[in-house]
Amino acid sequence: RPRVLSGIQPTADSFHLGNYLGAVRNWVAMQETHDAFYCVVDLHAITAGHDPVVLRQRTRVAAAQLLAVGLDPERCTLFVQSQVPEHAQLAWVLSCITGFGEASRMTQFKDKSAKQGADRSSVGLFTYPILQAADILLYQADAVPVGEDQRQHLELTRDLAQRFNTLFGATFTVPAPYIVRDTAKIVDLQDPSAKMSKSASSPAGLIELLDDPARSAKKIRSAVTDTGREVTFDQAAKPGVSNLLTIYAALTARSIDELVEAYEGKGYGDLKKDLAAVVTEFVTPIQERTRAYLDDPAQLDKLLAIGAEKARAVASTTLAAAYDRIGFLPAA
Ligand code: ATP
Ligand code: MG
């Protein structure tokens, strides 16, 4: 079976529909076809400042949501990044073969640091993509299911894998991004020029899995729509309406063409009202299951500890090979 690895940050109280439709939905599907490793990347979540109590809670909520949307610990390895120390260890090695200029070209860093003020950004935010490369390469992943925003980081990961292999001998599988075009970039409801983002979107711009469905309905009703009145799919001219259609189609398995036809002669208001109902129906059982997992944190932690142990078995083998190729003395 081909190997797959992906991760998600515990940087908010809930995932949003961009996370789900762009990435996590594919994680669930790939459990059936791949040897799958998925992690809650808490090391990444401390790159932009955090509160320890909140982080610990969000890490559990993230894991609970992943289980609630269908990850099955019998069919994949689900773990928390900080519980597998090899991630930080390999990241150091990779940072030593990454060019400063190369890292400086990462657009996510430029965007996020511009928001914080470049001088106030942490070095961790800068080296984030190198840690992400370590996450992936430790598992010899063939494919990495992510949203469009991660394409550049994946390209860096591929470059680093190839560079290491050339410098020190074949060690890492060179991974390919797995990006499903239709849902690769769900945009902010209030700012359709930006992707929906846990940390950057305003609350009104997000549809969150764990939010009160009545609040989500209200956000959908006040989503920025475009000039004109007809429901048509045109991402350049009508990014707001096209985003709503994308979400609607993805959650119902109806095609966009079918939806456009169904809303002929109706207005944006009808589309929004119906989408709100679709979202409510989708999130309600997910919320119930998430709560159930969170009701038993000891059990959840146990499950994650088992995942970390399975992950470590693979990660430690890869790290040992990398250390050996580099010329470190063998550990006693
Ligand atoms: P943050 O703002 O803290 O970076 P995020 O919303 O970007 O949070 P991540 O945890 O960084 O979420 O990313 C998890 C996964 O979700 C990644 O695979 C990412 O590509 C995907 N993703 C994030 N936002 C979107 C989006 N708007 N549309 C599609 N996929 C997305
Ligand atoms: Mg992100």
Side-chain angles (χ1 to χ4, degrees):
R1 277 190 163 198
R3 189 63 75 64
V4 68
L5 176 289
S6 198
I8 188 159
Q9 300 191 75
T11 38
D13 296 328
S14 172
F15 297 156
H16 54 71
L17 278 181
N19 299 137
Y20 177 73
L21 296 175
V24 175
R25 186 168 71 144
N26 300 322
W27 300 9
V28 176
M30 289 171 109
Q31 294 179 115
E32 314 304 334
T33 49
H34 288 67
D35 183 17
F37 289 79
Y38 301 123
C39 52
V40 178
V41 290
D42 53 349
L43 297 179
H44 288 278
I46 65 168
T47 52
H50 76 287
D51 176 290
V53 174
V54 173
L55 177 65
R56 192 166 288 134
Q57 175 60 10
R58 285 178 172 175
T59 300
R60 290 201 180 98
V61 175
Q65 279 175 98
L66 292 173
L67 294 163
V69 299
L71 290 192
D72 175 357
E74 301 284 318
R75 282 180 290 170
C76 71
T77 302
L78 174 63
F79 66 101
V80 173
Q81 184 188 29
S82 64
Q83 296 184 334
V84 181
E86 286 81 0
H87 290 248
Q89 292 176 286
L90 183 62
W92 173 257
V93 170
L94 296 178
S95 74
C96 295
I97 62 163
T98 307
F100 195 85
E102 186 176 35
S104 305
R105 284 192 289 278
M106 296 295 119
T107 57
Q108 181 179 285
F109 172 74
K110 288 193 226 176
D111 293 346
K112 288 191 172 180
S113 68
K115 268 204 184 86
Q116 293 185 332
D119 281 348
R120 255 170 296 155
S121 298
S122 71
V123 174
L125 187 66
F126 182 68
T127 56
Y128 179 117
I130 303 170
L131 176 59
Q132 185 176 337
D135 300 338
I136 297 163
L137 299 183
L138 275 176
Y139 299 90
Q140 309 286 13
D142 300 286
V144 186
V146 286
E148 180 61 39
D149 63 309
Q150 294 304 315
R151 192 181 287 280
Q152 192 188 32
H153 290 168
L154 254 294
E155 204 46 54
L156 176 71
T157 301
R158 291 168 55 85
D159 288 345
L160 293 177
Q162 271 153 352
R163 190 172 306 155
F164 189 101
N165 290 347
T166 303
L167 287 169
F168 304 114
T171 307
F172 296 120
T173 301
V174 180
Y178 181 91
I179 299 173
V180 176
R181 194 166 44 104
D182 290 348
T183 50
K185 184 182 175 188
I186 302 297
V187 300
D188 185 303
L189 296 182
Q190 288 300 317
D191 175 9
S193 70
K195 82 166 192 85
M196 205 176 265
S197 153
K198 279 192 249 97
S199 60
S201 293
S202 69
L206 295 172
I207 306 175
E208 292 176 306
L209 298 186
L210 301 184
D211 202 359
D212 173 5
R215 253 170 58 101
S216 293
K218 204 168 149 197
K219 293 185 195 179
I220 292 167
R221 276 201 305 277
S222 31
V224 168
T225 30
D226 316 290
T227 52
R229 310 183 54 243
E230 267 162 76
V231 175
T232 53
F233 188 80
D234 180 338
Q235 285 175 307
K238 292 192 172 205
V241 171
S242 300
N243 192 44
L244 299 181
L245 284 169
T246 297
I247 295 170
Y248 197 149
L251 291 182
T252 57
R254 291 170 76 180
S255 74
I256 287 184
D257 285 348
E258 210 181 311
L259 289 172
V260 168
E261 203 172 307
Y263 284 90
E264 218 183 286
K266 299 184 182 178
Y268 296 159
D270 296 302
L271 174 70
K272 288 172 162 181
K273 185 162 84 41
D274 295 347
L275 177 58
V278 165
V279 167
T280 301
E281 198 178 327
F282 177 71
V283 299
T284 303
I286 292 174
Q287 295 184 359
E288 282 163 15
R289 289 195 290 268
T290 301
R291 269 196 297 274
Y293 284 111
L294 291 172
D295 275 345
D296 193 349
Q299 174 60 24
L300 186 61
D301 288 0
K302 202 167 112 195
L303 205 141
L304 292 169
I306 293 170
E309 202 177 316
K310 277 165 65 186
R312 268 201 100 171
V314 176
S316 62
T317 305
T318 308
L319 184 76
Y323 270 23
D324 180 57
R325 302 265 150 74
I326 283 194
F328 292 158
L329 285 179

